[in-house]
Amino acid sequence: MRVPYSWLKSYVEVDLQPDELAEKLTMAGLAVDSIERMGADTSNVVVGLVKELKRHPEADHLWVVLVDTGEGELRQVITGAQNLIPGVRVPVALPGATLPGGEKIVETRFRGLLSEGMLCSAQELGLIEDRPEEEAGILILEGTPPVGADIRTVVGLGEVVFNLDVTPNRPDCLSIIGVAREVAALTGAKLKLPPVDVKEYGGNINQCLKIRVDATDLCLRYAARVLNNIRVAPSPGWLQRRLLAAGMRPINNIVDVTNYVMLETGQPLHAFDYTRLAGHEIIVRRARPGENLITLDGVERKLSPEMLVIADSEHPTGLAGIMGGLLSEITDETSTVMLESACFYNISIRRTARQLGIRSEASLRFEKGVDPNGVLFALERACHLIEELGAGEVVEGIIDIYPNPVSPWEVKISPTRIRDLIGAPVSDDFIRSSLQRLGLEIVGDEEHSLTVRVPTFRPDLRQEADFVEEVARLYGFSEIPATSMEGVLSLGRKPRALQIEDRVKEILRAAGLDEIQTYSFVHPGGVDKLRLAPDDPRRRLIRLLLPLSEEQSVLRTTLLPSLLEVAALNQRRKTGPVNIFEVNRVYWPRELPLKELPEMPRHVGVVLAGLRGESSWQGKAADNDFYRLKGILEALLDAFQVEGEFVATTLPTYHPGRQAMLSVAGKEVATLGELHPEVGEAFGLSGRVYALELNLEQLVPQINLAPRYRPWPRFPGVERDLAFLVPDDMPAKSVTAVLKEAGGQVLSELKLFDLYSGEQIPPGYKSLAYSFVFRAPDHTLTEEEVEPVLAAIIKAAEEQLGARVRR
Amino acid sequence: MEEKLRTLAQAAKDAVQAAESLEELDGVRVRFLGRKGELTQILRSMKDLPEAERPRLGELANRVRDELEAQLAERTENLKRVLEERRLAKERLDTTLPGIRPTLGHKHPLTWVLEEIKDIFLRMGFDVVEEPEVEYDYYNFEALNIPKDHPARDMQDTFYITDEILLRTHTSPFQARTLERMAPEVPVRVICPGRCYRRDPADATHSPMFYQTEILAVDKNISFAHLKWILITFVREMFGKNREVRFRPSFFPFTEPSAEVDISCLVCGGKGCSLCKGTGWLEILGSGMVHPKELEIAGYDPRKVSGFAAGMGPDRIAMLKYGIDDIRLFYENDLRFLRQF
């Protein structure tokens, strides 16, 4: 909401500096986003009188204008504008002038002719918003401002405008009077309402106009006046300046008055060309199927039956509360006007405006809610102004259809409770005077309670809590002390799952992985790129009803596509080694379409591509491989003291020979592997890529967050190394199982320290070298004790695995 | 004999001094003190000496041996030191070469900020809770005093999944859920962090997904003054002891009174700059006293208990704290960005 300071001052006596007033308003809840000083950076622009006008000899579209700027000699200025005639007064930017935005004017040649300055449009002077689609004519100045005068004093530059951010609960402040009332409450100054007296020139409205409201549920009140002897003309300068300063463009006196009164009172008005109303009748009704309307902006709108229209006896002639129709528009020929002031149902207006994609100053106000009891004041104010401008004469009588009048309501409040909730020593007197300053009436004043009558322009004041806010903001939020909390000491706790999440992230970072955060909604094609089987449950995606794009249209059921896309992006941008992880939720529907909330388990995803870390001058970092990926998962299990088992799998997402799943307590908790090359290609990845996804939710119950100390052995162990020759395809797990079994109690550690195949190893075989540590809990083992165990191990390996010991 | 011992002692001493390496020195030791060493042989021949001279010469021979051993030890020590010094003198590294850095993983900037916020409130006795991101329309709107077609829904363009289920537009549903779970118990002190969603196309300042963190306290006799204390304490912990804080009336449908909390600008400190658009203030939190209707819906008696709530955007806080000018950087995950945190 743009509030020109000079306009505001017409209703409330306030002489604070703009900054001070802005501060006051902001701290009272009417946030001033910015203070604009119109044309503050404009200089050297003066009033010029157009003396002579001729076409540029070299260019059809240019004019050579001789203009008197009060300097004795006429200036020659070249312009492309087409709206000039001799005798008009226009703004002339002299060489050396500055325009809003800092543009400097210099003498320039146009097709060989010198232009000693520039004629300015309203846009160029910063009076109205620049709208490139509109032809920018030169601003023709009203009246006869003195030639050579500083333009700032003529067109209202220098006006201070407050840009207010009005919260949705205060529709009353979408008007200058509403803001003035607030200023009055804040400063103690008196509110002065503008005059609304209307002179009636005979006739009878009921004889020339019929109004019927059919849709009484969508139209709370409909009032109208008829005005004769209309003389449509440009508005006087003061009116144009105020509209411009408030951000609206002057059109003609009749339309300008409706806009002026809307800005002034918050009540949107509409003027119809009475002679264009078929049957001289107004029917407020829903649109009929198939009806169309060409609105003022020239666009033909398809109407639907939930839209409220203002119709004459034949057709819709306006979109109620949003925009008038082209047919009943006020034109230079208009001689009789019907002026509408009405209150429409806000939700209907919002829906229609949104559906048709129109946002007007009127619809904005109706959407937020207008005061049905302010309808007549605005109507009378507009009629008063039209008469004051000599632009029309009011026919006797008002039509006012208001079947269910809204009355002020009463709220009982307790000053003690208000004080307690604020937590400051606010006196009863202060509470009383605050309410009165806000224009509220105290109708009951008892020992422990006040009864307040709320006028209908404050629909936000319904119960005591609303009054706590009114009192608190007038008292000043900054005056309320900051008081430390009292009461029972409480302990801040973090749920176990979150503690585990934090720990997981810590471990993964320690492993050298960077954390990423990606959107929860993804492209549905991600599951195809992963080559998931047609019946894979991760293909059951929850779709958004109205996504922003296909890329963000479904909730993810797996973290992998997001991670792989980030990996691909970083590969493309060559940002260095890609070792990343994410811990976030995935969304698994219990049924589709959703009837209840989906499962939202927390997952951990890891993707490794390329090198394990940064290389250095000492050498290149090692490549990632499957075992690093697995090692990361094993480190996680170790940190939580969880036992898990890795089982080979045949999932389509991974390399058929390089994948596994992790099972813990009989449940699959993770899959891991080298990405299938087709998957890598689908995501635009190069090289071998390794990925794992872990369902943390499944793991949480198994996790031990408080490790228990286990003492280490007191007696030294006896170490032995042995290498076994086994067939290539024998899993290491089978070998260790046999070795452990044969080693029995005294085998306390068994560790693979070498895997070898190649020279000296027969084809189809591999050598697994293990280090054994034998140990007894109560004494140091002797050679004699160890030898038989070692022999048993070798025997078992030979007999059960067909292994040969390499010595 | 005596003469022989003295000569030997002198010769040994000279030999010790002359030795230039540990090997030479060991040669000296063997020559005099070895199994067939010159001194060893003298000592061995003591038994052949006359009875009367034996004590005196024996003592002398022993002294010579002790002295020699001491000299050897001293010389060994010296030589070791000298040799070590020589080795050290030869060993030189170019310490201006870069070090070999361990590969450290990086914490996402949003995680940094989220953890810091949680930590501050945990210390003030708030429990962390998590609530569903896919939420019922009821909890996201209805239970928060935002009936269908309430003007406040103007501010919120929502991702719906069905008519009744949506992606939460704020963490505020946690208020209704927490109060429903806790009623009529007090005190309630909780903080709820999490992802939220709005139908805003991504640009430098908007993201269709973002984080929110919200706190809620309900107890007997809670006032706006307590809200101020908690939030001022939080802000000064988060942004520094000298941060100015101001509370400004505003509007949220589920609090009354409502306040925006501004802090003095992190760049200019309040003088006015481009970050704070010349105002000197940055909006950082929305807050207010819990609406009595919300307490009532959950089963509390608003005449007996009251509460406050506050919400903040970790994305915005991270942007301000780290000087990030585009929210999309958080979710794009360019590693050159992430590795700076």
Side-chain angles (χ1 to χ4, degrees), chain A residues 308-331:
Chain A
L308 186 68
V309 297
I310 309 300
D312 56 23
S313 60
E314 292 167 9
H315 306 290
T317 188
L319 264 177
I322 299 172
M323 195 178 273
L326 193 61
L327 198 69
S328 56
E329 184 187 20
I330 304 299
T331 65

Side-chain angles (χ1 to χ4, degrees), chain A residues 421 480 517 520 575 577 587, chain B residues 133 197 211 224 228 258 339:
Chain A
L421 279 167
I480 300 170
Q517 290 266 13
S520 308
T575 61
Y587 309 84
Chain B
E133 292 167 33
Y197 307 84
Y211 278 87
F224 192 85
K228 278 188 79 169
S258 305
R339 288 187 186 124

Side-chain angles (χ1 to χ4, degrees), chain A residues 311-479:
Chain A
D312 56 23
S313 60
E314 292 167 9
H315 306 290
T317 188
L319 264 177
I322 299 172
M323 195 178 273
L326 193 61
L327 198 69
S328 56
E329 184 187 20
I330 304 299
T331 65
D332 291 350
E333 280 79 53
T334 302
S335 59
T336 303
V337 159
M338 185 201 95
L339 205 56
E340 162 203 286
S341 180
C343 178
F344 302 112
Y345 182 51
N346 60 338
I347 290 156
S348 156
I349 301 293
R350 177 156 69 240
R351 285 199 187 128
T352 304
R354 200 169 269 198
Q355 215 168 324
L356 296 175
I358 311 175
R359 282 212 108 192
S360 63
E361 291 283 338
S363 72
L364 180 111
R365 284 172 174 78
F366 279 120
E367 283 175 30
K368 309 279 180 190
V370 307
D371 174 16
N373 292 328
V375 162
L376 287 189
F377 180 85
L379 183 61
E380 295 301 79
R381 174 69 177 147
C383 290
H384 173 92
L385 282 173
I386 290 173
E387 289 185 340
E388 190 183 291
L389 300 183
E393 294 168 357
V394 177
V395 171
E396 199 169 311
I398 298 180
I399 293 180
D400 181 14
I401 301 173
Y402 190 18
N404 300 300
V406 179
S407 311
W409 53 90
E410 290 174 4
V411 183
K412 203 167 187 173
I413 58 174
S414 150
T416 310
R417 210 155 41 226
I418 289 179
R419 203 162 24 247
D420 287 350
L421 279 167
I422 295 175
V426 187
S427 72
D428 286 10
D429 279 346
F430 183 86
I431 294 176
R432 278 194 207 94
S433 73
S434 303
L435 300 176
Q436 283 158 349
R437 272 154 64 189
L438 287 164
L440 312 175
E441 196 185 341
I442 296 170
V443 293
D445 197 339
E446 284 141 53
E447 191 167 346
H448 297 295
S449 73
L450 296 173
T451 307
V452 185
R453 180 173 293 153
V454 183
T456 51
F457 60 76
R458 286 302 303 272
D460 58 315
L461 302 181
R462 293 282 174 184
Q463 50 182 318
E464 190 179 66
D466 304 323
F467 290 86
V468 178
E469 174 159 283
E470 294 303 293
V471 173
R473 69 191 185 90
L474 288 193
Y475 186 76
F477 279 14
S478 53
E479 298 303 311

Side-chain angles (χ1 to χ4, degrees), chain B residues 4-267:
Chain B
K4 199 172 165 192
L5 266 172
R6 290 192 192 286
T7 316
L8 190 73
Q10 189 57 49
K13 194 177 175 185
D14 292 347
V16 167
Q17 293 309 320
E20 281 299 322
S21 71
L22 290 172
E23 291 74 25
E24 272 181 59
L25 201 60
D26 197 51
V28 174
R29 192 186 57 79
V30 170
R31 182 179 146 204
F32 293 96
L33 293 173
R35 201 182 278 247
K36 293 176 182 166
E38 293 173 34
L39 185 57
T40 314
Q41 287 186 3
I42 291 179
L43 282 165
R44 225 177 259 154
S45 66
M46 280 291 158
K47 60 183 190 305
D48 305 330
L49 286 177
E51 190 85 15
E53 294 205 4
R54 224 184 278 168
R56 194 177 55 83
L57 283 175
E59 194 193 338
L60 178 65
N62 278 331
R63 203 169 63 233
V64 168
R65 185 192 59 197
D66 289 350
E67 278 171 11
L68 180 53
E69 278 175 351
Q71 284 161 8
L72 274 169
E74 194 194 336
R75 184 65 185 152
T76 304
E77 214 32 60
N78 282 343
L79 261 181
K80 271 191 183 161
R81 208 165 50 234
V82 168
L83 289 172
E84 180 136 300
E85 272 165 20
R86 248 182 246 159
R87 179 174 67 81
L88 291 180
K90 269 189 269 172
E91 290 178 353
R92 279 279 178 272
L93 286 184
D94 177 358
T95 55
T96 64
L97 280 172
I100 307 301
R101 299 183 192 190
T103 301
L104 296 178
H106 294 83
K107 197 186 277 194
H108 194 282
L110 290 175
T111 307
W112 277 112
V113 167
L114 278 160
E115 285 182 4
E116 199 175 345
I117 296 169
K118 274 186 273 185
D119 181 59
I120 294 170
F121 283 104
L122 275 165
R123 282 187 274 144
M124 293 198 281
F126 285 72
D127 287 343
V128 181
V129 297
E130 290 185 291
E131 297 293 352
E133 292 167 33
V134 180
E135 182 55 284
Y136 290 109
D137 179 84
Y138 171 79
Y139 284 108
N140 197 70
F141 292 125
E142 306 283 334
L144 289 168
N145 196 26
I146 318 178
K148 284 215 162 65
D149 292 319
H150 189 285
R153 286 204 185 181
D154 240 315
M155 301 174 175
Q156 290 148 358
D157 275 353
T158 306
F159 285 115
Y160 276 91
I161 293 168
T162 70
D163 284 348
E164 297 305 321
I165 298 176
L166 44 74
L167 294 182
R168 66 175 172 197
T169 58
H170 44 200
T171 40
S172 309
F174 106 102
Q175 294 189 16
R177 284 180 173 273
T178 301
L179 292 177
E180 207 176 84
R181 195 169 53 233
M182 298 280 291
E185 294 288 311
V186 286
V188 176
R189 286 188 196 179
V190 278
I191 171 168
C192 177
R195 294 182 154 198
C196 301
Y197 307 84
R198 287 183 199 172
R199 275 197 85 251
D200 289 327
D203 63 25
T205 53
H206 295 88
S207 172
M209 186 191 84
F210 54 95
Y211 278 87
Q212 247 189 19
T213 302
E214 205 160 317
I215 60 159
L216 172 70
V218 174
D219 205 346
K220 289 174 190 143
N221 304 320
I222 285 199
S223 73
F224 192 85
H226 296 129
L227 163 71
K228 278 188 79 169
W229 183 84
I230 284 278
L231 294 183
I232 291 173
T233 307
F234 164 73
V235 161
R236 299 221 163 119
E237 193 69 16
M238 188 85 197
F239 295 102
K241 291 272 166 283
N242 300 322
R243 208 47 48 204
E244 290 293 322
V245 188
R246 105 182 159 173
F247 290 72
R248 183 160 58 71
S250 186
F251 170 73
F252 306 107
F254 38 96
T255 51
E256 190 81 56
S258 305
E260 292 279 5
V261 183
D262 301 338
I263 59 169
S264 50
C265 180
L266 296 168
V267 169

Side-chain angles (χ1 to χ4, degrees), chain A residues 270-296:
Chain A
H270 187 66
F272 296 83
D273 186 332
Y274 170 83
T275 52
R276 300 298 189 102
L277 297 175
H280 297 160
E281 190 176 11
I282 287 288
I283 301 160
V284 184
R285 60 163 169 87
R286 286 179 164 80
R288 298 190 181 119
E291 275 186 331
N292 286 355
L293 171 70
I294 300 175
T295 41
L296 279 176

